Amino acid sequence: MSDPILLVRDLSMTYPDSNGGLHALRDVSFEVFPREFVAVLGSSGSGKSTLLRILAGLLQPTSGSVSFGGQGPVGSGAASPRIGMVFQQSNLMPWRTVIENVKLPLELDGVDDETARARAQELIELVGLQGFENNWPRELSGGMAQRVAIARALIHDPDLLLLDEPFGALDALTREHMWIELSRIWQMRQKTVILVTHSIHESLFLADRVLVLTPRPGRIKLDFKVDLPRPRADEIRYTAHFGSLAKKLKEAIG
Ligand code: ADP
Ligand code: MG
């Protein structure tokens, strides 16, 4: 087995409040290996978004450490990996077309327009939105907007993709379709992914491993290996084995 790409050690987070502090996470430790798809499963308020924001460097933990092992991106000389992030809301710029939204991060980096457009076009095709390059965000369905957000998060070719309930705002059928799409994209790009979700079925369908968080303060209650074959088709969700795995996770969540 290769070295972990991510090492999380004894992470705790206490938000200040008037009552001695709100403990969102306590002593969270785990590691993630290159190309792994890890789901963090927990009920609402268990500290999932807090954890992802700490991993993304958007939030400073109260204690504990996050370190990135392995090699940094080739040629960058940087120790920290590139991170792409997708939230529950697509956060697209309403005054920019699909392709302009996807290429925005490259634009901000000063990449020339021709290169940026070509990269964006490739990712738009990867997420299945060819033909919608010049549409406005308001013309997209929720599922399409999340595809744009995924394409945008991939534009830097990140080492680590962090997804915070990316399908939480979608209707059930669209969400299940997006699972298949994300699974396909992950298979093609072989990214390391951490997906936060409160859906047992979503975590099982997508992940290699599921980390189950306790209710607040979030701690890792279970590190669960998902022994389902890949590629996974929709039918797998209706097998007895899938059902028995779901039952175990349900018991762990409580
Ligand atoms: P989840 O994503 O699992 O729903 P969060 O990480 O958003 O959980 O929140 C965990 C707990 O921390 C919740 O009780 C929430 O109210 C609290 N919390 C989250 N962000 C803040 C903040 N910026 N300030 C104070 N409390 C916060
Ligand atoms: Mg959250």
Side-chain angles (χ1 to χ4, degrees):
M1 193 115 186
S2 50
D3 292 333
I5 188 175
L6 174 70
L7 281 129
V8 176
R9 285 287 167 264
D10 302 321
L11 215 58
S12 292
M13 181 68 203
T14 304
Y15 290 108
D17 69 0
S18 54
N19 196 18
L22 186 144
H23 301 290
L25 292 174
R26 186 167 295 161
D27 298 331
V28 171
S29 298
F30 64 94
E31 47 227 40
V32 175
F33 293 89
R35 298 195 183 79
E36 239 188 334
F37 195 128
V38 174
V40 177
L41 176 69
S43 53
S44 178
S46 59
K48 303 183 297 298
S49 295
T50 299
L51 175 62
L52 269 206
R53 288 172 59 214
I54 292 171
L55 299 184
L58 300 171
L59 186 66
Q60 188 69 28
T62 310
S63 61
S65 67
V66 175
S67 52
F68 296 98
Q71 288 164 346
V74 178
S76 71
S80 60
R82 284 169 296 197
I83 291 176
M85 194 154 176
V86 177
F87 301 89
Q88 189 166 350
Q89 303 299 334
S90 59
N91 300 318
L92 301 180
M93 306 265 181
W95 58 87
R96 290 183 146 243
T97 63
V98 165
I99 194 162
E100 287 168 351
N101 266 286
V102 174
K103 75 184 177 73
L104 178 62
L106 293 183
E107 231 175 274
L108 295 174
D109 277 358
V111 173
D112 72 89
D113 193 58
E114 199 181 332
T115 309
R117 267 182 192 278
R119 284 274 303 131
Q121 183 65 39
E122 189 189 314
L123 289 167
I124 286 169
E125 286 169 23
L126 176 74
V127 300
L129 282 181
Q130 56 274 41
F132 293 93
E133 293 81 356
N134 298 314
N135 282 71
W136 300 101
R138 64 171 180 275
E139 298 169 327
L140 307 177
S141 67
M144 291 163 83
Q146 283 308 74
R147 288 169 196 254
V148 179
I150 292 170
R152 183 182 53 189
L154 288 170
I155 195 107
H156 275 307
D157 198 22
D159 303 290
L160 183 61
L161 189 59
L162 303 176
L163 308 172
D164 191 353
E165 308 216 33
F167 313 131
L170 305 178
D171 65 83
L173 287 177
T174 307
R175 187 183 316 142
E176 288 165 15
H177 184 63
M178 290 299 290
W179 296 351
I180 295 168
E181 287 293 290
L182 178 60
S183 201
R184 178 183 62 78
I185 292 165
W186 174 79
Q187 205 98 26
M188 284 183 73
R189 290 281 155 147
Q190 292 287 299
K191 291 288 169 204
T192 309
V193 178
I194 302 178
L195 166 84
V196 151
T197 181
H198 62 253
S199 161
I200 290 173
H201 282 216
E202 180 167 301
S203 69
L204 278 178
F205 186 76
L206 288 166
D208 298 314
R209 252 168 78 210
V210 181
L211 306 176
V212 180
L213 288 183
T214 60
R216 207 178 72 208
R219 301 162 174 269
I220 293 183
K221 184 165 183 191
L222 182 68
D223 185 337
F224 189 81
K225 188 160 169 40
V226 181
D227 60 350
L228 295 168
R230 292 189 186 272
R232 295 176 190 163
D234 210 23
E235 293 70 49
I236 205 162
R237 293 196 289 124
Y238 306 101
T239 60
H241 187 52
F242 193 96
S244 76
L245 298 181
K247 186 156 179 274
K248 281 184 192 150
L249 289 181
K250 176 75 188 165
E251 282 160 7
I253 291 187

